[in-house]
Amino acid sequence: MADNPVRPCFGCQQFDDHPRHEIIGLDGSDLVGGPMHKDCCAELRGCQVCAYERQGLDPSVIGEAFREHLLALPPAQVVHVPNDNPGDPLNLTTAVVTPLEG
């Protein structure tokens, strides 16, 4: 299997190998709409993690150049903005997040 497989972005419907944000449950199920490009995730889900990772970048920084940028980022703590619609399937503030052990 390729290190960076070509797959769809559920935000913009494009197929490519660019970095995605995928949110899955402990049972392996997709929690919020499927993997999305970081910019699509920030825009459609209001994801502050993806917004931080794209902050100040030219939109043309994608693919391998974006991977290099991600690897160079220092650790950061981000907070998701509350979403007042608990029925919104893209509402990250209603997701239960459990840290991985080990």
Side-chain angles (χ1 to χ4, degrees):
M1 185 165 143
D3 288 338
N4 302 305
V6 172
R7 61 207 186 285
C9 168
F10 287 84
C12 68
Q13 310 305 314
Q14 292 183 18
F15 282 74
D16 55 38
D17 70 348
H18 299 176
R20 308 265 195 294
H21 189 183
E22 184 169 7
I23 303 169
I24 57 171
L26 293 176
D27 63 356
S29 64
D30 184 305
L31 293 181
V32 283
M36 290 187 191
H37 292 121
K38 301 286 187 159
D39 55 340
C40 293
C41 187
E43 181 180 332
L44 297 173
R45 292 176 174 150
C47 179
Q48 297 303 301
V49 172
C50 291
Y52 164 76
E53 293 173 340
R54 293 288 321 175
Q55 184 177 353
L57 280 182
D58 183 296
S60 67
V61 176
I62 58 175
E64 196 58 37
F66 185 49
R67 274 186 204 88
E68 290 173 14
H69 166 77
L70 290 173
L71 291 171
L73 283 175
Q77 182 176 6
V78 298
V79 177
H80 284 285
V81 177
N83 180 334
D84 292 334
N85 182 357
D88 181 353
L90 300 179
N91 183 357
L92 295 179
T93 58
T94 62
V96 175
V97 179
T98 304
L100 296 175
E101 297 293 328

